């Protein structure tokens, strides 16, 4: 546990209760200090509330423990702090995405305050930490809703990501074995006689909670302001830290779990559905009631960005490939300082993983990389997945690269890279491109109204692609963040998955009979393409994003994977 249980303030003498309250406030202030430093302007302008202090402490503890697994915040100033035109509502939202290679999808904290007619107000404080599809561990959700000075709704939960009746082992692992029910829901109810179960009016929202969730409505009655504050600073703070402690110890570790393709896809799809529900019911419907429409639209759009990321598409494809290839892939041998790396200034982070093919397989290597770099006007994210075959087959390689330079646009490169001179080998076109009908996938993407053709500045790179390559720039225009995410999660994810399946079925398993001269020519072609790829894409660009020594280290590892010598 991160905090020892704190007895009810009512059980102490007035002097002891005051001293205990002061001690608790100091402890929470210390835990929250690092977090508050970055959010001092926004938090300082919000009304001071006990439950907000608790959330600051919890968020500060989470951030300290997660460390470099979280990227710096990129939320614009008009979302970190916003207010409506009438001046009776203020809010603050901050989002930190997970670093490439970590199991953290994002960490989101939000505070909303709205004055109500008369002398009342409503205050909502929320903290959400979501994990990626590499694990099925629960997400962390904390929410406090205060509608009167003497009442508070509390939601603390490890949000399940599986259908619990179908997975009793999941209940045992994350809820029973961790004693979460005793430390959370049951313990809270026993120690806070002023609380009763809270029942959400939404049946869908109720269905999302775990059976161990703390879902309470605390009512302290007329004149109970001090009693409520004591409960919040004591039992609520203690329980919140306990729930965070369980999540950090048992869920946020970051180990990739062994799951088959269907399992992982189901978890990712469930996450997407739950995220959409939370946005629709909690934010898209309620924020316009508290803020002007333009303010709420801006905030909801920023929050939508946190719930989705194109890296998840690449992760899902990599998992799909690894599940199918199985023992044909050797374990990763990439050194730790290349598996994850960052610039000295802290403005750029990256991850890289290479798995070589096992002896006797057709796989040469698989390559995954993710690069994130902050730039003056935003950030650039590049995600790459390469599946290269060896000389036992002439089948095409698989390539996916996603380059996002703004919240509303992305460059998409998807191809089965040919390994022969297509003009000399029409049968190669027929076998790998016509019979597999991959050109229909290109048409599905190019028919989207937001797409236009993308052309690399390198004539050599353009010459290496197949005639069915998907080479597009998707631009959704000003305010089109949500549209882009829908396309990435929808049409793009579907097409990428189908193309990978074609490669797995038609290319990855089949050795080819070739004359020696033909094989040598193909090997030479592969080497030139790989060498040029490193030269054009990496040697010139990585030093711009990272320190020279970091770039050199990463490029050296990539050259090793590609079988390309330094020149």
């Amino acid at each position: 546990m991160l905090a020892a249980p704190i007895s009810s303030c009512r059980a102490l003498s007035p002097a002891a209760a005051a001293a205990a309250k002061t001690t608790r406030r100091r402890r929470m202030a210390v835990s929250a200090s690092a977090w508050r430093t970055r959010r001092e302007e926004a938090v300082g302008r919000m009304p001071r509330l006990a439950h907000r202090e608790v959330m600051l402490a919890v968020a500060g503890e989470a951030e300290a423990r997660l460390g470099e697994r979280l990227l710096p915040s990129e939320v614009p100033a008009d979302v970190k702090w916003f207010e409506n035109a009438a001046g009776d509502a203020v809010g603050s939202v901050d989002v930190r995405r997970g670093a490439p290679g970590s199991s953290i999808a994002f960490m989101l904290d939000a505070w909303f305050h709205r004055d109500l007619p008369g002398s009342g107000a409503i205050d909502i404080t929320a903290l959400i930490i979501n994990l990626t599809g590499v694990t099925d561990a629960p997400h962390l959700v904390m929410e406090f809703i205060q509608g009167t000075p003497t009442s508070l709704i509390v939601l603390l939960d490890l949000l399940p990501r599986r259908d619990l009746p179908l997975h009793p082992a999941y209940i045992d692992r994350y809820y029973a074995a961790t004693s979460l029910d005793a430390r959370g829901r049951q313990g809270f109810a026993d120690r806070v006689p002023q609380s009763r179960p809270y029942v959400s009016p939404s049946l869908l929202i109720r269905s999302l909670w775990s059976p161990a969730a703390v879902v309470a409505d605390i009512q302290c009655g007329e004149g109970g302001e001090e009693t409520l504050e004591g409960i919040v600073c004591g039992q609520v703070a203690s329980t919140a830290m306990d729930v965070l402690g369980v999540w950090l110890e048992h869920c946020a570790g970051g180990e990739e779990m062994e799951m088959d393709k269907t399992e992982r896809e189901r978890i990712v799809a469930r996450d997407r559905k739950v995220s959409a529900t939370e946005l629709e019911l909690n934010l898209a419907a309620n924020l316009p009631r508290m803020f002007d429409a333009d303010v709420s639209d801006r905030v909801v759009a920023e929050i939508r960005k946190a719930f989705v990321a194109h890296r998840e598409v690449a992760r899902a494809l990599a998992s799909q490939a690894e599940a199918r290839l199985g023992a044909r892939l050797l374990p990763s041998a990439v050194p730790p300082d290349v598996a994850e790396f960052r610039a000295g200034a802290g403005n750029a982070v990256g991850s890289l993983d290479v798995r070589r093919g096992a002896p006797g397989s057709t796989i040469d290597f698989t390559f995954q990389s993710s690069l994130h770099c902050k730039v003056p006007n935003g950030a650039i994210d590049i995600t790459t997945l390469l599946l290269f075959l060896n000389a036992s087959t002439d089948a095409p390689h698989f390539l996916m690269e996603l380059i996002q330079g703004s919240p509303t646009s992305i460059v998409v490169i998807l191809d089965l890279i040919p390994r022969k001179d297509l003009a000399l080998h029409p049968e190669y076109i027929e076998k790998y491109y016509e019979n597999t009908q991959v050109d229909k996938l290109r048409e599905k993407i190019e028919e989207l109204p937001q797409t236009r053709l993308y052309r690399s500045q390198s004539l050599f790179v353009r010459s290496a692609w197949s005639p069915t390559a998907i080479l597009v720039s998707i631009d959704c225009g000003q305010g089109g963040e949500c549209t882009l995410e829908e396309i990435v999660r929808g049409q793009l994810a579907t097409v990428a998955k189908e193309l990978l399946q074609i490669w797995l079925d038609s290319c990855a398993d089949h050795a080819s009979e070739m004359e020696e001269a033909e094989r040598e020519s193909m090997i030479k072609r592969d080497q030139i393409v790989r060498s040029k790829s490193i030269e054009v894409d990496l040697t010139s660009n990585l030093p711009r994003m990272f320190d020279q020594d970091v770039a050199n280290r990463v490029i050296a590892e990539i050259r090793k994977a590609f079988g390309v010598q330094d020149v």
Side-chain angles (χ1 to χ4, degrees):
M1 293 188 292
L2 297 177
I6 302 173
S7 301
S8 170
C9 294
R10 295 184 302 114
L12 303 175
S13 67
K21 183 184 295 186
T22 300
T23 300
R24 287 193 294 271
R25 285 192 176 278
R26 287 174 179 168
R27 185 168 64 237
M28 288 192 296
V30 170
S31 298
S33 60
W35 187 263
R36 188 189 300 279
T37 298
R38 279 193 319 281
R39 306 215 52 200
E40 183 174 358
E41 180 180 355
V43 175
R45 297 167 70 182
M46 300 285 270
R48 294 188 69 84
L49 293 167
H51 69 76
R52 191 170 293 126
E53 294 297 306
V54 171
M55 192 65 80
L56 279 168
V58 173
E61 180 70 21
E63 182 194 48
R65 290 280 296 273
L66 295 176
E68 293 188 348
R69 284 181 280 173
L70 292 173
L71 296 174
S73 170
E74 294 172 6
V75 171
D78 61 358
V79 173
K80 271 191 177 173
W81 171 260
F82 49 92
E83 55 190 326
N84 67 354
D88 59 358
V90 294
S92 176
V93 171
D94 197 26
V95 179
R96 297 189 64 186
R97 291 187 181 277
S102 80
S103 62
I104 308 299
F106 66 85
M107 174 175 172
L108 180 150
D109 64 274
W111 299 297
F112 308 115
H113 169 88
R114 173 69 190 266
D115 293 326
L116 300 175
S119 58
I122 184 169
D123 286 273
I124 302 172
T125 302
L127 174 67
I128 299 171
I129 310 180
N130 270 22
L131 298 170
T132 69
V134 304
T135 175
D136 67 355
H139 305 310
L140 176 75
V141 178
M142 297 190 177
E143 189 170 12
F144 301 139
I145 305 170
Q146 186 164 5
T148 75
T150 62
S151 65
L152 181 72
I153 292 171
V154 176
L155 169 60
L156 307 172
D157 196 18
L158 303 189
L159 203 65
R161 300 169 71 195
R162 289 185 181 265
D163 183 359
L164 297 185
L166 278 179
H167 298 276
Y170 191 92
I171 300 175
D172 291 340
R173 178 174 185 176
Y174 293 115
Y175 302 100
T178 60
S179 300
L180 183 65
D181 198 45
R183 296 163 67 175
R185 183 196 61 80
Q186 183 178 333
F188 187 81
D190 290 345
R191 290 185 288 137
V192 185
Q194 298 88 346
S195 76
R196 62 175 184 263
Y198 168 72
V199 180
S200 170
S202 167
L203 295 178
L204 184 55
I205 289 292
R206 286 189 231 167
S207 72
L208 304 180
W209 295 333
S210 81
V214 178
V215 187
D217 185 359
I218 303 173
Q219 297 284 345
C220 294
E222 186 176 354
E225 290 90 340
E226 289 189 8
T227 302
L228 179 64
E229 184 174 358
I231 291 171
V232 172
C233 294
Q235 293 93 327
V236 171
S238 174
T239 303
M241 280 293 189
D242 267 357
V243 172
L244 174 67
V246 170
W247 184 82
L248 287 168
E249 183 178 353
H250 298 279
C251 305
E255 314 87 11
E256 181 167 355
M257 294 184 172
E258 291 187 6
M259 289 182 275
D260 62 33
K261 180 181 69 173
T262 303
E263 279 184 296
R264 201 176 298 275
E265 287 176 353
R266 187 178 293 116
I267 287 170
V268 171
R270 193 179 197 279
D271 281 349
R272 192 180 310 138
K273 197 77 171 178
V274 170
S275 297
T277 298
E278 291 174 335
L279 283 169
E280 178 185 348
L281 297 180
N282 289 341
L283 291 169
N286 292 322
L287 271 182
R289 300 174 186 173
M290 301 179 69
F291 299 91
D292 308 316
D294 61 333
V295 174
S296 62
D297 288 348
R298 183 173 72 240
V299 174
V300 170
E302 193 67 31
I303 293 173
R304 283 185 189 276
K305 287 164 56 180
F307 278 89
V308 288
H310 74 259
R311 286 202 306 266
E312 286 299 300
V313 176
R315 285 178 175 138
L317 289 190
S319 298
Q320 179 183 349
E322 290 174 2
R324 172 71 175 270
L325 298 176
R328 282 175 284 174
L329 293 176
L330 297 175
S332 172
V334 173
D337 61 356
V338 174
E340 294 188 25
F341 51 93
R342 64 180 56 230
N347 65 317
V349 295
S351 70
L352 185 149
D353 192 32
V354 177
R355 296 186 65 181
R356 295 194 174 278
S361 77
T362 60
I363 308 300
D364 191 357
F365 65 88
T366 68
F367 173 95
Q368 301 175 57
S369 71
S370 182
L371 305 174
H372 168 89
C373 181
K374 293 186 69 173
V375 294
N377 296 322
I380 183 169
D381 285 274
I382 304 173
T383 301
T384 304
L385 175 63
L386 296 172
L387 306 173
F388 271 43
L389 298 171
N390 58 34
S392 67
T393 177
D394 66 359
H397 306 308
F398 177 88
L399 162 68
M400 182 183 75
E401 190 162 29
L402 305 175
I403 306 167
Q404 186 163 6
S406 84
T408 61
S409 65
I410 190 170
V411 171
V412 177
I413 302 172
L414 272 168
D415 196 20
L416 303 185
I417 303 175
R419 301 170 71 194
K420 288 193 172 187
D421 183 347
L422 298 184
L424 282 178
H425 297 277
E427 76 286 351
Y428 192 91
I429 298 176
E430 181 180 5
K431 179 177 182 179
Y432 293 114
Y433 301 99
E434 289 182 353
N435 292 347
T436 58
Q437 300 185 338
V438 293
D439 208 35
K440 290 184 177 180
L441 300 180
R442 178 190 58 80
E443 293 171 356
K444 287 182 181 179
I445 294 295
E446 290 185 2
E447 69 186 10
L448 295 171
Q450 297 86 353
T451 65
R452 64 177 186 270
L453 294 180
Y454 166 75
R455 288 184 175 84
S456 169
Q457 295 179 349
S458 167
L459 295 176
F460 179 88
V461 169
R462 287 190 227 169
S463 72
W465 290 328
S466 81
T468 64
I470 298 170
L471 308 165
V472 298
S473 175
I474 302 175
D475 192 339
C476 297
Q478 186 173 359
E481 291 93 339
C482 298
T483 303
L484 179 65
E485 290 291 353
E486 289 172 3
I487 291 172
V488 170
R489 287 292 191 185
Q491 295 97 321
L492 177 57
T494 299
V495 165
K497 178 182 175 182
E498 290 179 9
L499 183 63
L500 176 59
Q501 194 61 51
I502 288 172
W503 184 85
L504 290 168
D505 292 339
S506 304
C507 304
D509 292 329
H510 306 288
S512 306
E513 293 184 5
M514 289 178 278
E515 295 179 357
E516 192 59 33
E518 189 179 9
R519 195 182 304 275
E520 289 177 0
S521 175
M522 184 186 70
I523 292 172
K524 181 179 179 181
R525 193 180 199 278
D526 278 351
Q527 287 288 87
I528 294 174
V529 169
R530 295 177 186 186
S531 180
K532 280 289 186 180
S533 297
I534 293 174
E535 177 186 335
V536 173
D537 292 336
L538 295 170
T539 307
S540 59
N541 291 323
L542 267 181
R544 300 175 186 174
M545 301 174 71
F546 297 89
D547 309 317
Q548 188 65 56
D549 60 332
V550 175
N552 290 344
R553 184 172 71 240
V554 175
I555 291 171
E557 194 65 29
I558 294 173
R559 286 186 180 278
K560 187 194 303 182
F562 280 35
V564 174
Q565 300 301 315
D566 290 314
V567 292

